[in-house]
């Protein structure tokens, strides 16, 4: 208890924010030692995602103190690594969440106090505008204050490197070390200095010009597409409106009024994540009222993109893989007359194999990376340095990247390309069925188990590894034809069984390929421990010659995994599978 009081005293010495000072003082008065210890005895971990956490007082939360400390550490890291960092500057943007503007102002003042130019967005922006500014201005780094589609109580501090990609290892560890060496706040001002340079109008104009160049090879849209749009209480409406004006489709857009303007409380949804059940309910109601059959949605910081279409009388929400395949095919069709193996698209180890099948059939190249755009973007840039032409990248979690615009996911660019494609295809669902007929049917079943703690998660993976040596030979009646464990670095399909993708003993990730049955052509699934939530995630896909047998194969293997791999009663599967 004495230690907790010492940490509380230290906090009060550092913190000058009245709101969080009042919060900790109230908790001290209530003698809530358990909560105080949780918030004060551990620091937020700075990683490749930067910071993302619930807001409130304490070293384990996001607040003015941790924002200033992080900015001081990042500033010193940049100055030590890049001789031109002060002149090159840092681009800073923020979304419409609680405290985002204040956190951005505090961060900017820290960099200015170190003599570093700040390229400043004067109003809230969608996340892709920060890496766009880093690229355009050749800045030393970029910061976006956002927690994307997290709950309203969260916020985040996302960092981009000088190459306009999200930071990756080992930079994250070096920045984390620098933060620990610069913990005493040196400035609390939110006032701008002469080093703060406004960039909003210039960057918006240049960004829209890049979007125009992205769709220009298609010229004008062939037909007006009518659609309902929701920015999910976030910042997307301004950018979506400007984007659709480029292709003459503004008159086809109906906006969900209740979700049109930024609102940090996200009052109409349980979760502002377009993937979550119920998130598109208001959009569906608006579409039905206006006799519109297509819905486009962004998450609150507009870097992700979701689609739903009314097919007959049923609304079908597309998976991230399905949207990714449609966008990949649209991208391919623009280069099909001149495509070679040097034309590359990228995807991740947990996304659909359908892109690889398309590439095999059409002659372009595909590269697979670990999950996340820190990998997709950096690998894409490495390939470009080798003379490859990287056109597109996606991951199943509703993220789509066009490297000619930004080296990160961009929900506005993806929305614009999707609309342009729909003006040619008509129904995207019908186009998807045509692609299944051409390349094979792929049924995905993605879910997760909630784990009570890290040790349970680790024990679950170790139990799987120990079923047989060097790896389990079967899952049910299906033979394991390939086994890749990126925790141990093992891959049964490579020379000397060394995995080609990066491995790490601090993570848990296994991918397994199973042979086909009488009715399907085989299964691939990946299980991994989430790096941000207490979850074990499953990404499972079955390929077949028709949709029904592909779906049956996926359901069969999910059932086998529940019985044999994830049968610990403390693991709780996602609600939609709980009673199956």
């Amino acid at each position: 208890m004495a230690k907790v009081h010492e940490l509380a005293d230290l906090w009060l010495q550092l913190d000058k924010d009245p709101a969080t000072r009042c919060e900790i003082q109230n908790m001290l008065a209530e003698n809530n030692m358990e909560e105080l210890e949780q918030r004060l005895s551990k620091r937020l971990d700075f990683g490749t995602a930067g910071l993302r956490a619930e807001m409130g007082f304490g070293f384990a939360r996001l607040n003015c103190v941790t924002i200033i400390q992080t900015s001081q550490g990042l500033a010193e890291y940049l100055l030590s690594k890049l001789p031109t960092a002060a002149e090159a500057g840092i681009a800073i943007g923020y979304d419409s969440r609680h405290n985002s503007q204040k956190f951005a102002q505090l961060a900017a003042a820290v960099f200015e106090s170190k003599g570093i130019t700040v390229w400043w967005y004067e109003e809230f922006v969608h996340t892709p505008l920060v890496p766009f500014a880093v690229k355009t201005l050749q800045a030393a780094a970029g910061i976006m204050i956002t927690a994307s589609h997290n709950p309203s109580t969260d916020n985040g501090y996302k960092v981009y490197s000088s190459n306009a990609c999200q930071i990756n290892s080992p930079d994250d560890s070096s920045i984390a070390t620098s933060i620990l060496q610069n913990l005493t706040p040196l400035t609390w001002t939110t006032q701008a200095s002469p080093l703060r340079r406004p960039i909003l109008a210039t960057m918006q104009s240049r960004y829209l010009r890049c979007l125009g160049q992205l769709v220009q090879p298609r010229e004008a849209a062939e037909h007006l597409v009518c659609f309902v749009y929701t920015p999910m209480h976030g910042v997307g409406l301004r950018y979506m409106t400007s984007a659709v004006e480029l292709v003459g489709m503004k008159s086809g857009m109906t906006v969900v009024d209740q979700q049109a303007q930024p609102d940090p409380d996200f009052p109409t949804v349980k979760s502002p994540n377009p993937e979550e059940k119920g998130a598109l309910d208001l959009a569906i109601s608006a579409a039905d009222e206006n006799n519109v059959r297509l819905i486009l949605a962004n998450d609150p910081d507009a870097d992700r993109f979701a689609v739903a279409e009314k097919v007959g009388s049923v609304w079908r929400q597309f998976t991230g893989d399905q949207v990714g395949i449609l966008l990949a095919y649209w991208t391919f069709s623009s280069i099909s007359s001149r495509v070679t193996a040097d034309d590359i698209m990228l995807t991740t180890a947990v996304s659909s194999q359908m892109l690889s099948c398309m590439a095999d059939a059409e002659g372009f190249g595909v590269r697979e990376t670990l999950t996340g755009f820190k990998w997709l973007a950096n690998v894409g840039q490495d390939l470009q340095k080798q003379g490859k032409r990287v056109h597109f990248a996606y991951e199943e979690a509703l993220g789509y990247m066009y490297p000619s615009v930004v080296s990160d996911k961009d929900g506005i660019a993806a929305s614009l390309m999707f609309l342009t494609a729909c003006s040619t295809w008509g129904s995207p669902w019908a186009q998807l069925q045509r692609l299944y007929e051409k390349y094979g049917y792929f049924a995905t079943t993605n879910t997760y188990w909630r784990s009570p703690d890290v040790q349970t998660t680790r024990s679950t993976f170790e139990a799987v590894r120990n079923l047989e040596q060097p790896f389990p030979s079967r899952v049910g009646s299906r033979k394991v034809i390939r086994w890749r464990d990126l925790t141990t670095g093992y891959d049964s399909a490579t020379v000397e069984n060394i995995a080609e993708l990066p491995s790490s003993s601090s993570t848990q990730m296994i991918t397994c390929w199973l042979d086909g049955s009488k009715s399907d052509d085989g299964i691939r699934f990946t299980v991994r421990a989430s790096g941000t939530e207490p979850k074990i995630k499953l990404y499972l896909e079955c390929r077949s010659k028709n949709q029904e047998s592909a779906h049956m194969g996926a359901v069969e293997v999910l059932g086998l995994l529940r019985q044999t791999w994830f049968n610990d009663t403390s693991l709780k599967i996602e609600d939609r599978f709980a009673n199956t």
Side-chain angles (χ1 to χ4, degrees):
M1 188 171 297
K3 181 183 177 183
V4 172
H5 281 286
E6 289 175 8
L7 289 169
D9 289 341
L10 174 60
W11 178 265
L12 288 167
Q13 291 172 29
L14 298 174
D15 191 10
K16 293 186 179 180
D17 181 359
T20 45
R21 286 181 66 87
C22 180
E23 190 181 0
I24 188 173
Q25 286 167 343
N26 288 341
M27 199 167 289
L28 285 166
E30 296 167 358
N31 201 35
N32 190 342
M33 291 297 109
E34 182 178 354
E35 181 71 12
L36 284 162
E37 184 173 12
Q38 287 179 359
R39 295 204 195 187
L40 294 169
S41 62
K42 183 182 177 183
R43 289 196 61 81
L44 278 180
D45 291 328
F46 185 93
T48 54
L51 299 175
R52 190 178 293 186
E54 188 174 352
M55 291 177 282
F57 83 85
F59 302 113
R61 296 285 181 95
L62 209 65
N63 47 63
C64 295
V65 171
T66 51
I67 288 288
I68 291 171
Q69 291 174 331
T70 301
S71 300
Q72 290 178 168
L74 178 58
E76 290 296 336
Y77 167 78
L78 292 174
L79 290 169
S80 66
K81 181 183 178 184
L82 301 172
T84 60
E87 296 77 21
I90 185 165
I92 298 181
Y94 56 92
D95 68 6
S96 55
R97 284 177 173 269
H98 291 295
N99 295 315
S100 284
Q101 183 181 32
K102 178 171 69 173
F103 289 165
Q105 289 171 333
L106 287 167
V110 167
F111 288 98
E112 291 161 5
S113 73
K114 303 285 186 179
I116 298 173
T117 298
V118 171
W119 305 108
W120 176 252
Y121 281 112
E122 309 96 287
E123 298 176 13
F124 54 71
V125 295
H126 77 313
T127 290
L129 273 185
V130 169
F132 183 81
V134 175
K135 178 180 74 170
T136 303
L137 299 169
Q138 296 184 307
I143 297 169
M144 179 66 187
I145 304 297
T146 181
S148 191
H149 54 262
N150 275 37
S152 62
T153 52
D154 291 3
N155 215 323
Y157 187 104
K158 189 174 185 179
V159 181
Y160 294 87
S161 188
S162 58
N163 66 351
C165 301
Q166 293 179 46
I167 58 167
N168 209 340
S169 299
D171 288 345
D172 59 330
S173 297
S174 299
I175 295 169
T177 299
S178 184
I179 292 168
L180 295 177
Q181 295 168 349
N182 293 275
L183 294 178
T184 302
L186 301 179
T187 177
W188 275 84
T189 185
T190 56
Q191 300 302 308
S193 83
L195 288 173
R196 195 173 304 185
R197 313 285 176 80
I199 60 172
L200 180 64
T202 302
M203 289 302 108
Q204 284 182 339
S205 175
R206 293 187 182 184
Y207 173 76
L208 288 171
R209 192 182 312 154
C210 278
L211 289 187
Q213 292 168 350
L214 181 68
V215 298
Q216 189 176 27
R218 303 285 183 174
E219 299 179 349
E222 293 187 21
H223 304 287
L224 178 68
V225 178
C226 294
F227 66 100
V228 164
Y229 172 69
T230 174
M232 207 66 67
H233 295 296
V235 303
L237 180 59
R238 175 196 301 169
Y239 301 100
M240 186 66 171
T241 302
S242 297
V244 296
E245 286 175 342
L246 294 172
V247 291
M249 288 198 191
K250 184 179 178 182
S251 62
M253 181 169 74
T254 299
V255 180
V256 179
D257 289 336
Q258 304 96 313
Q259 298 173 336
Q261 298 307 316
D263 187 328
D265 292 318
F266 313 122
T268 68
V269 291
K270 183 178 179 181
S271 166
N273 181 353
E275 286 184 294
E276 294 290 340
K277 183 179 179 181
L280 296 184
D281 285 355
L282 283 176
I284 289 172
S285 295
D288 286 338
E289 289 171 10
N290 290 277
N291 197 28
V292 174
R293 305 185 72 84
L294 182 66
I295 292 170
L296 306 186
N298 291 129
D299 64 345
D301 68 326
D303 64 349
R304 286 177 171 82
F305 166 58
V307 178
E309 182 184 2
K310 195 171 189 178
V311 181
S313 60
V314 177
W315 278 100
R316 295 186 180 274
Q317 186 164 347
F318 291 63
T319 67
D321 280 318
Q322 290 171 334
V323 174
I325 290 302
L326 286 166
L327 288 172
Y329 186 77
W330 183 244
T331 301
F332 158 71
S333 62
S334 70
I335 60 171
S336 59
S337 63
R338 60 185 190 278
V339 72
T340 74
D342 285 339
D343 292 289
I344 305 293
M345 299 190 207
L346 295 104
T347 188
T348 70
V350 301
S351 300
S352 176
Q353 299 171 94
M354 189 172 177
L355 182 59
S356 293
C357 292
M358 182 191 300
D360 290 343
E362 306 296 355
F364 63 88
V366 167
R367 297 292 188 277
E368 183 181 282
T369 75
L370 295 180
T371 56
F373 278 84
K374 66 186 180 187
W375 292 105
L376 289 166
N378 280 291
V379 170
Q381 288 196 2
D382 289 343
L383 289 166
Q384 288 172 326
K385 291 174 185 176
Q386 298 168 25
K388 310 295 185 183
R389 296 177 293 275
V390 180
H391 300 278
F392 174 69
Y394 94 91
E395 68 173 1
E396 52 75 39
L398 305 185
Y400 315 96
M401 178 181 85
Y402 292 92
S404 64
V405 182
V406 292
S407 291
D408 198 9
K409 55 187 176 290
D410 185 345
I412 300 299
S415 299
L416 184 62
M417 288 293 274
F418 196 85
L419 278 175
T420 309
C422 288
S423 74
T424 297
W425 297 335
S427 162
W429 187 261
Q431 174 64 14
L432 181 64
Q433 306 318 304
R434 290 190 285 270
L435 296 182
Y436 284 145
E437 288 287 341
K438 187 173 185 179
Y439 302 117
Y441 286 83
F442 295 78
T444 57
T445 300
N446 297 343
T447 187
Y448 62 82
W449 286 264
R450 288 198 174 275
S451 176
D453 50 55
V454 173
Q455 183 55 48
T456 300
T457 299
R458 187 181 298 115
S459 298
T460 299
F461 277 87
E462 286 305 312
V464 168
R465 292 186 181 98
N466 291 329
L467 288 171
E468 290 183 57
Q469 295 299 324
F471 56 86
S473 60
R474 292 185 175 275
V475 174
S477 62
R478 292 180 183 260
K479 183 180 179 181
V480 175
I481 57 177
R482 182 180 174 188
W483 178 274
R484 182 177 66 199
D485 187 338
L486 294 181
T487 305
T488 64
Y490 179 90
D491 189 336
S492 65
T494 62
V495 176
E496 298 182 353
N497 299 135
I498 298 173
E500 295 175 347
L501 289 177
S503 58
S504 172
S505 59
S506 63
T507 62
Q508 300 288 343
M509 184 171 178
I510 294 171
T511 301
C512 184
W513 287 257
L514 306 178
D515 66 356
S517 67
K518 293 180 179 179
S519 58
D520 64 61
D521 298 327
I523 302 275
R524 184 185 77 169
F525 66 85
T526 296
V527 287
R528 72 179 184 93
S530 171
T532 57
E533 302 170 282
K535 293 179 179 178
I536 298 173
K537 295 186 174 183
L538 171 69
Y539 309 83
L540 189 155
E541 181 176 64
C542 179
R543 182 185 182 187
S544 188
K545 295 177 179 61
N546 62 73
Q547 196 65 49
E548 183 180 2
S549 60
H551 175 72
M552 288 176 59
V555 170
E556 172 210 340
V557 174
L558 173 60
L560 290 170
L561 292 174
R562 291 182 68 180
Q563 294 170 19
T564 58
W565 285 25
F566 302 109
N567 52 14
D568 186 323
T569 56
S570 68
L571 298 174
K572 305 300 181 185
I573 199 168
E574 181 185 6
D575 289 347
R576 65 192 173 108
F577 291 111
N579 297 314
T580 61

